[in-house]
Amino acid sequence: MSVSAVALKAMSLPEFGEPTVMPLVPRATHEARIAALVARGSRAGFDAFVVYGDREHAANVAYLSGYDPRFEETLLVVVPGREPKLLVGNEGWGYAEICDGPYKRVLYQTFSLPAQPRDRSDALPDILAGCGLKAGQKIGAIGWKPFGAGDAGFGETALDLPSFIADTLRALAGDKGAVLNAADLLMNPADGLRAINEADQLAAFEFAATFSSQGLRNVLKSIEPGMSELQAARLMGINGLPLCCHPMLSAGRRASYGLPSPRLDIIKRGDPITMAYGIQGSLNARAGFLAESAADLPPAIRDYVEKLVAPYFSAVVDWYETVGIGVAGGDLWKVVHDRIGDPFFGVTLNPGHLVHIDEWMHSPVFSGSQVKLQSGMALQVDIIPATGTDYFTTNIEDGIALADEALREEIAALYPEAWHRIEARRAFMVDVLGIRLKSEVLPFSNIPAFLPPYWLSRNTAMAVERR
């Protein structure tokens, strides 16, 4: 890498704007996705699929059907040659109609909340048999987690479905059939169907990321000492779009844990602080100190920028300048660990992963990974140093997409407003921050690689200085 140095720089973060057009994935795309699953499943020897979802694990069923369960569980049953069936409870019945997916609704009231009526639906074995499941079939069960080589003791028969569903499926398949975990068909980072996104889906992710990143930008712009964490979190302007995780904001002692939700704790000048906001299709996070300069920090860590933030930002720059179509995930892992692999930085999780309706779908970024990044992938810059020291942490988490020329032209033609934001973000990253992006890298964040270590110095952030 040719980064000569990184340093704090006074800058003006442009206004990239918020969407006035909401991209939607059409029903025809969901039909094509189900057809692709059937075709791929046939090659793998599957006779049918059962896709499970609930509020926390909605992504796979939503990807295929457009239905994201709210209060209840759901099952999407896909049998070649038959209309897909979507099993829903009492409250999902009406909502599934408005979602207008390529399925026929089936009422299964056991999916309803406790004590709600159970008097109008058949037993689960009868419903599934009516959907076309039967003895001797190889049934692909898709929950939300594929099990890999590192999951000791678990193989393809390990299911992450509730036991009352898994037991029923196994009984239906019988001794001559099998119920196998088929989540990899959707989620494998190399060739899973969800790893590669259509233009409409990427535009929907950009839509989500614009709002979540703008929420953090609002906090950085207006947070003040003396606010409570809840007051600061209100600045995010959470607008009701479905979340992919709980909003996070914490300061002081709790901040080093990263995940806490805000409380009424008062944020003081000099406090460490972290925040994250994730909408389905995006997550953005930042961390630093509620300070104006190093003078607001304890004397022992006044070299915070030199010791932690500068090498971290250099690693982020290397990540951005390396990522691209055809790059192996292991190469991204290496450029980060070449910079901040020292145990002090505490980078243990994957420095980057695929983002989808769920915040972390899977990751091609790990040591030695030969998984090649492809056009259509949506990725999240997600490099988390957990120092475990008074230096706390620093953090950039933002979403990008990779798009070849044809996909870029399609996005620009279908979604000119989003494309204008993408081009403006690229210009800021290149011209102001000094990060040299490949043409296929499309930033989705309204704070693209913007890293202010001191949140009260609002127009000062890290940038590259080159020879």
Side-chain angles (χ1 to χ4, degrees):
M1 294 294 164
S2 57
V3 175
S4 174
V6 298
L8 285 173
K9 177 181 177 179
M11 63 182 70
S12 177
L13 183 62
E15 292 290 344
F16 299 109
E18 292 187 356
T20 64
V21 176
M22 185 172 187
L24 299 173
V25 177
R27 178 180 176 135
T29 298
H30 292 117
E31 292 172 347
R33 290 170 175 177
I34 291 174
L37 175 64
V38 168
R40 187 166 293 193
S42 177
R43 293 194 295 271
F46 285 104
D47 300 301
F49 290 99
V50 173
V51 188
Y52 171 81
D54 60 28
R55 178 63 267 160
E56 293 297 320
H57 309 113
N60 283 326
V61 73
Y63 168 80
L64 292 169
S65 71
Y67 174 77
D68 64 315
R70 296 293 164 124
F71 295 104
E72 308 164 337
E73 302 110 319
T74 190
L75 279 181
L76 178 69
V77 183
V78 177
V79 179
R82 291 173 174 252
E83 183 180 16
K85 302 296 197 306
L86 185 76
L87 279 60
V88 295
N90 294 323
E91 294 184 84
W93 181 256
Y95 181 62
E97 182 177 35
I98 201 171
C99 290
D100 190 35
Y103 47 72
K104 181 179 180 180
R105 294 174 297 162
V106 177
L107 182 65
Y108 179 52
Q109 291 176 298
T110 297
F111 283 165
S112 305
L113 301 182
Q116 287 189 1
R118 299 284 201 271
D119 58 338
R120 292 190 296 119
S121 57
D122 294 333
L124 185 59
D126 297 330
I127 291 175
L128 294 179
C131 292
L133 301 186
K134 57 187 177 181
Q137 287 179 329
K138 181 179 176 182
I139 300 171
I142 299 176
W144 72 281
K145 181 180 290 186
F147 296 103
D151 297 302
F154 293 107
E156 63 180 358
T157 60
L159 308 181
D160 59 335
L161 278 61
S163 64
F164 77 97
I165 298 173
D167 293 346
T168 302
L169 291 172
R170 289 173 175 137
L172 274 172
D175 294 338
K176 295 183 179 180
V179 184
L180 305 178
N181 190 319
D184 255 341
L185 295 181
L186 291 182
M187 301 177 67
N188 187 288
D191 60 3
L193 293 176
R194 284 211 288 137
I196 307 299
N197 298 282
E198 309 89 353
D200 291 330
Q201 187 68 77
L202 290 177
F205 291 165
E206 191 275 342
F207 176 89
T210 299
F211 283 112
S212 56
S213 59
Q214 185 68 34
L216 299 197
R217 178 176 175 150
N218 295 342
V219 177
L220 292 172
K221 179 181 178 181
S222 300
I223 191 171
E224 295 286 353
M227 284 184 172
S228 70
E229 293 171 352
L230 281 171
Q231 286 175 318
R234 284 179 181 171
L235 297 171
M236 292 182 186
I238 292 174
N239 59 10
L241 290 171
L243 304 179
C244 64
C245 61
H246 294 299
M248 291 162 258
L249 190 148
S250 57
R253 184 186 63 82
R254 296 191 309 137
S256 62
Y257 295 93
L259 300 183
S261 299
R263 305 194 308 195
L264 280 173
D265 298 9
I266 300 301
I267 309 169
K268 302 183 294 296
R269 178 180 288 267
D271 270 352
I273 185 167
T274 183
M275 62 177 173
Y277 176 18
I279 296 169
Q280 287 182 355
S282 76
L283 181 132
N284 299 90
R286 290 297 187 274
F289 283 88
L290 192 67
E292 194 165 352
S293 69
D296 290 328
L297 305 184
I301 60 167
R302 287 179 180 168
D303 59 347
Y304 170 62
V305 169
E306 295 79 12
K307 187 172 178 64
L308 177 58
V309 181
Y312 173 83
F313 187 73
S314 294
V316 171
V317 171
D318 289 351
W319 193 100
Y320 268 114
E321 295 190 346
T322 300
V323 71
I325 295 169
V327 173
D331 293 341
L332 279 182
W333 186 93
K334 186 176 186 302
V335 297
V336 170
H337 283 263
D338 282 350
R339 286 281 188 186
I340 53 175
D342 185 280
F344 164 73
F345 294 100
V347 177
T348 57
L349 300 181
N350 310 59
H353 57 84
L354 298 178
V355 64
H356 208 273
I357 296 167
D358 37 3
E359 189 270 333
W360 184 305
M361 191 200 93
H362 211 309
S363 181
V365 185
F366 52 87
S367 179
S369 170
Q370 295 302 307
V371 176
K372 297 295 180 64
L373 305 183
Q374 302 177 59
S375 177
M377 284 186 169
L379 297 114
Q380 189 169 295
V381 183
D382 189 357
I383 307 169
I384 304 174
T387 71
T389 71
D390 289 343
Y391 284 95
F392 180 49
T393 190
T394 182
N395 191 19
I396 289 176
E397 295 186 40
D398 286 328
I400 68 163
L402 299 179
D404 60 19
E405 185 175 4
L407 183 54
R408 295 197 299 273
E409 290 176 354
E410 185 179 6
I411 295 171
L414 293 174
Y415 301 100
E417 182 184 86
W419 187 250
H420 175 75
R421 289 191 295 270
I422 290 167
E423 287 192 311
R425 295 170 188 138
R426 280 181 54 88
F428 170 76
M429 292 178 71
V430 173
D431 299 337
V432 179
L433 299 184
I435 301 174
R436 298 183 295 200
L437 299 175
K438 297 172 184 175
S439 59
E440 64 261 37
V441 178
L442 310 184
F444 284 178
S445 171
N446 270 10
I447 44 173
F450 182 73
L451 183 62
Y454 306 122
W455 287 16
L456 297 179
S457 184
R458 316 221 187 245
N459 297 311
T460 305
M462 301 302 296
V464 177
E465 296 177 337
R466 298 186 187 273
R467 294 188 181 91

